[in-house]
Amino acid sequence: MNDSVDIASYNESGLWPQLRRVGRVIRVVLYLLWGFVLAFLLGAFWSPYRPVVLSAKQRWCRRFLRILGVELTVTGSRVEAPVFLVSNHVSWLDIPVIASQRHLYFLSKAEVGDWPLIGTLARAMGTLFIKRGSGESVRKAQEIADRLQQGHTVLVFPEGTTTDGSSLRRFFPQLFDAPLLAGVPVQPLAVRYLDSMGAPDRGLAFIGDDEFHHHLWAMMLRQKIRVRLHFCTPLEGEGMDRKQLCAQAYERLEGQLKAQN
C-alpha cells in the first residue's frame, strides 16, 4: 500500500510512536463502539432526523477528531439555512471533519454501508447511499431534494471518487437537479490536508485499493493531522440548469483549491 507508506514516512521512528499508535487505535475502536451504543440509546436507527440526534452526531465527530489528533482550521462563512453542499473528496476523514462543523447528511458510495461499525453508524446517522455506475442519480437527486425541502442540509462529493487532493476531477451534474428542485443555494466546500510547512499533504489521501483499517493504522502514527476547511461563497441556481450550476460550482471550488496551493 503506497499511501500507507507515505503516511508513515512523515512520522518519527522508535518505540514510543508505536505505543502511541496502538493506544490511539484502541481509543478509536472503543469510541466507535460508544457511537453505536449512543445511536441506539438516542433511537437514531429508527429516527435519525431529530435535532437531538444531529447535535449528538456533531459532538461525536468533534471528539473523534480530537482522538485522531486532527488540527482543524475553518475559514469562510457557512450558509446556516438548508443548503446543498458540494466538496472535493480526499479521504474518509472528510466526513467527520465536515460533520463536526454543522448539522447535515451525506451522500456516500454504497460500499461504505458495508464497512464494519462505520457502515452501521452511517446508516443510523441518516446517510444516503448511491451505487456507482448504477444509473440511479435521478432518483437520488429527488431523494436529496426531499431532504432539502424538509429543512435539512445535504453534502455530496460530485467527483464520485477520492483524489490525492492535488487536482479536482470533473463533476457529475446529475445530482445538481436536487438544489434546483428544492430551491436552495449550492455552497462549494474546499478540503485540504496540510503538512507541517502548510503545503498540501498528499499522504493522507484514501485512494485506489486502500482499505479502511490499513489506512487508519498508518494514520495513527501521526502526532497531528492538519486540515483546512473553507466554505466558499454560495451560488443561487435561479435561471440555471444543472449543467450550468455544476460548472459554476466546479469553477468556484477549483479556484479556491488553487488559491490555497
Side-chain angles (χ1 to χ4, degrees), residues 164-235:
D164 67 0
S166 62
S167 60
L168 198 62
R169 294 194 179 201
R170 74 181 183 94
F171 282 3
F172 292 96
Q174 292 87 341
L175 293 174
F176 283 81
D177 275 334
L180 295 174
L181 289 169
V184 302
V186 175
Q187 184 165 38
L189 186 58
V191 181
R192 295 300 301 269
Y193 293 87
L194 306 172
D195 62 21
S196 59
M197 303 300 293
D201 185 349
R202 297 181 180 89
L204 279 162
F206 183 67
I207 54 178
D209 297 326
D210 280 356
E211 295 182 9
F212 173 73
H213 60 287
H214 289 153
H215 192 268
L216 177 64
W217 175 247
M219 182 187 291
M220 291 299 92
L221 199 56
R222 289 175 175 248
Q223 273 190 299
K224 283 187 179 180
I225 298 169
R226 296 173 175 85
V227 189
R228 180 186 297 157
L229 192 63
H230 181 79
F231 288 89
C232 302
T233 304
L235 294 161

Side-chain angles (χ1 to χ4, degrees), residues 63-119:
R63 176 60 180 163
F64 185 60
L65 297 182
R66 288 197 292 271
I67 292 173
L68 296 180
V70 172
E71 186 179 273
L72 177 61
T73 301
V74 181
T75 56
S77 299
R78 70 186 186 193
V79 175
E80 298 298 337
V83 64
F84 184 73
L85 289 172
V86 294
S87 174
N88 62 308
H89 199 12
V90 180
S91 169
W92 58 267
L93 188 56
D94 302 345
I95 293 174
V97 164
I98 297 169
S100 72
Q101 296 305 300
R102 65 167 302 150
H103 297 171
L104 79 167
Y105 299 99
F106 289 89
L107 177 70
S108 181
K109 61 182 182 180
E111 294 93 319
V112 173
D114 298 325
W115 289 1
L117 287 181
I118 295 289

